[in-house]
Amino acid sequence: MTATAVAAADVTRFSGSAAEWDAFVRRQPHWTAFHLHAWRDVVAKVFGHRTPYLAARDPSGELAGVLPLVLVASPVFGRFLVSMPFVNYGGPLGSPDAVRALADEAVRLADHEKVKLLELRSRTELPLDLPVSHRKITVVLDLPDTTEKLMKSFEAKLRSQVRRPAKEGIVVKFGRDQLSPFYGVFAQHMRDLGTPVQPRKLFTALADAFGEDFWVGCAWLGDIPVAGGCGFRWDREFEMTWASSLYAYNRLSPNMGLYWAFMERAVQEKLELFNFGRCSPGVGTHRFKKQWGSRDEQLWWYQHGARATNTPSPDDGAYSWGPRLWRRLPVPLANLLGPPIVAGIP
């Protein structure tokens, strides 16, 4: 069956069950937590965005491909159709014909909705003719079967940095009860960076939706949370999707202790890959992630649109004034104003 035939006859809005969608996703070689159906309800509940999830079916009615999509609309930034917004991965999964057919339908939907940009954020190369952006990379670390081997793989300087927080009295705790302290650290750190913060209810919704596969941890100095992170476990991998630390405690390297604690947990749970998340090549966060002996993975973000070449970013000249102003806001005010703004920045 050709891609054109699939697109014409068998690509529709998905109306099946979450169980059917997720069972198909988990059979695909490059699936991620962000392809799972739970994201659909989280995005709709937290942000109110439309979620036109697409499905391609074979002649027997079985799924041949799926594509999660979110229409992000903002009066400030405009309209974008993204798979998946706010995170690193998405894009169509399935057979080559189904992937092409789903992308064709996404292009038609993007044109119909008059979006500035359609962006399909794939972790791997896809059989598509769309232009592709390589502006982002993911950094990953292959995990050994013991934490002792992992520690020995680090250079001496890094081992010293990893051990320092514990010597300074910093303790890392995991669990749902860490959501509130994590968000306190995260919100202050984002304000200090000059970036609007995601709403707190996003993280509560993710904890509800993903349960034990959504890890939250905080580094504590006495009764003060000084660093925090959270992310997703899927297949044989864990990704640190959000992480922050307070500048006032940088000399104690709490972020090093935090990352080590997450790595220890990943090894103990027999995972094979620690994913540091996306970044731009060559920036400070990239250097932080590379020091662990990790490797880069190029991302393949396929695009369609005549009115934008990328989604909005503070790095864009048109928005460069924003971070300078945002850093001046009191944290409570930034927390109040930030979520409605960031909802429109996919």
Side-chain angles (χ1 to χ4, degrees):
M1 180 179 291
T2 66
T4 302
V6 173
D10 297 309
V11 175
T12 61
R13 301 290 179 92
F14 180 74
S15 59
S17 68
E20 180 192 23
W21 178 284
D22 287 349
F24 178 84
V25 165
R26 288 189 170 98
R27 292 196 298 269
Q28 307 311 305
H30 301 296
W31 74 280
T32 72
F34 311 111
H35 287 94
L36 294 173
H37 195 273
W39 270 97
R40 187 177 201 178
D41 294 334
V42 169
V43 167
K45 176 182 177 182
V46 174
F47 300 104
H49 295 320
R50 288 165 50 195
T51 55
Y53 276 34
L54 302 180
R57 295 188 181 273
D58 64 24
S60 69
E62 295 296 317
L63 284 174
V66 296
L67 173 57
L69 284 168
V70 177
L71 181 63
V72 179
S74 162
V76 177
F77 302 105
R79 295 160 63 83
F80 298 86
L81 189 62
V82 185
S83 176
M84 287 289 288
F86 317 120
V87 293
N88 310 330
Y89 309 131
L93 295 175
S95 69
D97 278 354
V99 165
R100 285 188 286 267
L102 288 162
D104 288 346
E105 181 61 24
V107 166
R108 281 190 286 273
L109 180 60
D111 290 342
H112 174 74
E113 294 287 349
K114 296 181 172 58
V115 302
K116 287 186 175 181
L117 185 71
L118 164 70
E119 188 162 72
L120 307 178
R121 297 177 173 177
S122 177
R123 186 171 186 173
T124 59
E125 186 175 8
L126 298 175
L128 301 178
D129 294 329
L130 294 173
V132 63
S133 169
H134 291 307
R135 70 186 186 275
K136 298 293 184 180
I137 57 173
T138 287
V139 183
V140 297
L141 176 66
D142 296 297
L143 297 174
D145 56 1
T146 69
T147 54
E148 291 78 10
K149 290 179 182 177
L150 180 58
M151 182 65 81
K152 288 180 180 178
S153 72
F154 300 154
E155 295 181 355
K157 180 181 178 181
L158 181 62
R159 289 198 299 270
S160 176
Q161 290 174 321
V162 167
R163 290 168 175 152
R164 181 178 181 183
K167 293 179 179 178
E168 297 285 353
I170 289 176
V171 176
V172 178
K173 301 177 184 178
F174 287 97
R176 189 186 175 98
D177 62 343
Q178 300 302 301
L179 271 175
S180 182
F182 156 76
Y183 192 77
V185 172
F186 179 63
Q188 182 168 333
H189 181 73
M190 295 300 285
R191 192 288 309 267
D192 293 345
L193 290 175
T195 303
V197 68
Q198 293 281 9
R200 178 171 176 168
K201 63 181 178 179
L202 170 64
F203 302 99
T204 302
L206 291 172
D208 291 341
F210 289 91
E212 294 299 316
D213 289 328
F214 183 66
W215 297 1
V216 185
C218 274
W220 292 81
L221 181 63
D223 60 356
I224 303 172
V226 294
C230 60
F232 299 87
R233 172 182 59 188
W234 72 87
D235 201 14
R236 308 306 299 168
E237 178 173 354
F238 172 80
E239 182 198 84
M240 184 79 94
T241 313
W242 295 278
S244 296
S245 62
L246 300 181
Y247 289 138
Y249 298 90
N250 277 356
R251 62 182 182 83
L252 304 180
S253 301
N255 57 333
M256 302 299 288
L258 179 78
Y259 272 82
W260 171 248
F262 273 89
M263 290 179 195
E264 278 190 308
R265 180 173 177 180
V267 171
Q268 290 164 2
E269 298 204 13
K270 307 302 181 184
L271 302 185
E272 298 172 359
L273 203 66
F274 186 90
N275 189 327
F276 289 88
R278 81 175 187 230
C279 60
S280 299
V283 301
T285 51
H286 185 208
R287 292 190 291 273
F288 171 83
K289 295 170 183 180
K290 289 290 287 182
Q291 70 181 326
W292 300 86
S294 55
R295 54 186 169 85
D296 295 344
E297 284 189 354
Q298 183 66 68
L299 297 184
W300 297 73
W301 288 9
Y302 293 89
Q303 300 179 324
H304 167 77
R307 292 187 291 159
T309 56
N310 287 317
T311 51
S313 168
D315 297 330
D316 297 341
Y319 305 115
S320 61
W321 53 269
R324 294 194 299 271
L325 292 178
W326 204 261
R327 294 187 191 103
R328 299 174 181 269
L329 295 179
V331 172
L333 182 58
N335 290 352
L336 178 66
L337 299 178
I341 296 173
V342 80
I345 306 175

